[in-house]
Amino acid sequence: MNPNHPAPIAADLAQPRWRDDLLREYADLGQKLAQTLPCMEWQMQLPWIDAIVQLKKQRGATILAHSYQTPEIFHGVADVTGDSLALAQVAATCESDLIVLCGVHFMAESAKILAPHKTVLIPDPQAGCSLASSITAADVLALRAAHPGVPVVSYVNTSAAVKAESDACCTSANAVQVVEAVAAEFAADAVIFLPDRFLGSWVATQTDVKLILWHGQCEVHEKFTAQQARHTRERFDAKIVAHPECPPEVLAEADFVGSTSAMGKWLAREQPQRVAMITECSMADNLREQFPQVQFIKPCNLCPHMRKITLPNIHAALLHRQFAVEVAPEVAARARRALQRMLAVGRREAA
Ligand code: 13P
Ligand code: SF4
């Protein structure tokens, strides 16, 4: 199909409506969704899910969804789910030229940077991130001026412009390895690490490289408290698994500290009877299905930016081919270099 002249869309796909046969057709999905959504709620999602599934086939699109997306998106319409790094890599390697990224804006930008010739749509371009908005490219230049010769590692939760001023990117899954690799490559004993001060202070406990930190914080993870984690352990006899974007006193209470992807691997390895996931609360909802024998206790903080992505706006994205993410080619080229330095560390570790 010529992507500039897509085939006309049937009226019932443009305006999803209830049909009784949806219950039968999506019986398996219904079972998954019923674990987390009340009956009326998940049934009301089926017309949207059905229209999106058909539209994406007609458009030849691939839908990528972050692990923090709601269960109806994660289980209902996504072709691939994962953390921000995995999604950007799939965007670059999958066969489809049209990607719908269900996540926040920096994730869609990363996908576009790694797949510059593809169309990357984000259903709501206002889906931001408190970490990404805590720092600008001018701030990075000021940090470099204040610390001449010190290399810069930036978390992927940053704008393309900030990535372009960085030497390497990292995710919470590979931050320690990237910091050490960059320090070795630049023969430096210190690295500027931005923008998350909590992730940075956790990385500093795992390496001898000195870290110069910025003051960004995730508005979701900063809300968790040590008392909440302690109470959950004592009251429910639960293992505590925490994301490194949480404050240090919360991490000190955790049985395991790890990234979005590392948390899933830890669960598969340890198979705890009860676990509290100290992270965005859709994670537990989405993992429940994979680990039916584990009881999930959900201290629940929702990311308001992730919640901006909904079935109706995914549907509108496919229908109207909106909103395409654009990154200026010169910014994208420099940001890509920083992302590729991170990917090279991953390849060296795997070798
Ligand atoms: P990941 O990089 O693990 O996907 O996490 C992104 C994020 O926004 C965490 O809050
Ligand atoms: Fe950003 Fe925090 Fe939301 Fe992740 S959970 S997208 S870091 S605001």
Side-chain angles (χ1 to χ4, degrees):
M1 194 203 326
N2 180 343
N4 296 319
H5 301 283
I9 297 300
D12 59 337
L13 284 191
Q15 285 189 328
R17 290 216 178 77
W18 174 257
R19 297 189 325 266
D20 287 340
D21 64 326
L22 289 174
L23 275 181
R24 196 171 12 87
E25 198 173 326
Y26 291 95
D28 290 347
L29 175 63
Q31 274 188 358
K32 284 185 197 170
L33 295 184
Q35 291 178 28
T36 46
L37 302 174
C39 162
M40 295 309 289
E41 202 179 306
W42 70 255
Q43 293 193 14
M44 281 165 61
Q45 316 283 8
L46 291 184
W48 290 107
I49 290 173
D50 182 56
I52 290 169
V53 167
Q54 294 195 53
L55 263 177
K56 80 174 170 183
K57 266 192 220 137
Q58 286 197 14
R59 296 281 199 231
T62 295
I63 298 185
L64 309 181
H66 190 262
S67 307
Y68 293 178
Q69 291 290 294
T70 52
E72 64 271 22
I73 296 174
F74 189 92
H75 294 303
V77 299
D79 297 295
V80 180
T81 56
D83 64 6
S84 57
L85 172 65
L87 298 185
Q89 285 176 304
V90 171
T93 53
C94 73
E95 281 187 1
S96 176
D97 285 332
L98 180 62
I99 308 290
V100 180
L101 199 134
C102 302
V104 294
H105 193 262
F106 78 81
M107 297 178 181
E109 256 187 359
S110 297
K112 179 70 183 173
I113 292 165
L114 289 180
H117 304 300
K118 297 189 180 186
T119 300
V120 177
L121 304 177
I122 181 161
D124 184 341
Q126 303 303 321
C129 167
S130 67
L131 281 172
S133 60
S134 74
I135 189 157
T136 65
D139 294 325
V140 184
L141 293 175
L143 278 167
R144 281 196 187 274
H147 304 280
V150 179
V152 175
V153 172
S154 65
Y155 194 23
V156 283
N157 297 39
T158 46
S159 65
V162 165
K163 289 184 177 78
E165 299 303 339
S166 306
D167 295 297
C169 291
C170 72
T171 69
S172 52
N174 59 24
V176 177
Q177 293 91 318
V178 172
V179 160
E180 291 187 340
V182 166
E185 185 180 341
F186 287 77
D189 56 8
V191 161
I192 297 169
F193 185 92
L194 52 91
D196 186 356
R197 71 186 181 108
F198 291 149
L199 174 63
S201 58
W202 178 75
V203 172
T205 66
Q206 314 287 311
T207 175
D208 292 333
V209 179
K210 181 173 172 289
L211 295 189
I212 297 161
L213 302 180
W214 185 248
H215 49 69
Q217 286 173 210
C218 162
E219 68 184 87
V220 178
H221 291 87
E222 71 177 349
K223 290 201 186 86
F224 291 110
T225 66
Q227 193 202 22
Q228 210 177 9
R230 249 191 326 272
H231 173 78
T232 310
R233 182 207 308 285
E234 287 161 9
R235 169 73 183 81
F236 299 103
D237 189 23
K239 295 286 183 203
I240 307 292
V241 174
H243 193 283
E245 288 172 11
C246 294
E249 62 277 13
V250 174
L251 302 184
E253 295 290 335
D255 296 287
F256 177 71
V257 175
S259 66
T260 306
S261 54
M263 283 183 184
K265 288 185 194 139
W266 185 87
L267 282 178
R269 212 170 44 239
E270 301 293 323
Q271 305 271 338
Q273 201 184 356
R274 285 204 196 111
V275 68
M277 311 287 289
I278 312 283
T279 187
E280 214 272 354
C281 58
S282 295
M283 267 288 284
D285 285 340
N286 294 331
L287 285 170
R288 193 176 306 230
E289 193 272 318
Q290 206 184 326
F291 299 101
Q293 74 288 8
V294 177
Q295 280 183 301
F296 287 89
I297 317 237
K298 244 177 50 170
C300 201
N301 282 346
L302 280 168
C303 173
H305 310 288
M306 289 281 178
R307 286 293 83 75
K308 287 202 163 91
I309 310 301
T310 61
L311 291 176
N313 64 25
I314 297 170
H315 177 263
L318 282 164
L319 195 60
H320 307 300
R321 296 173 62 86
Q322 66 189 26
F323 296 92
V325 176
E326 297 299 343
V327 182
E330 66 281 6
V331 173
R334 293 165 64 219
R336 195 175 304 119
R337 196 196 49 191
L339 281 166
Q340 279 169 345
R341 192 173 259 129
M342 166 180 80
L343 297 176
V345 172
R347 281 193 293 274
R348 279 203 296 278
E349 296 272 322

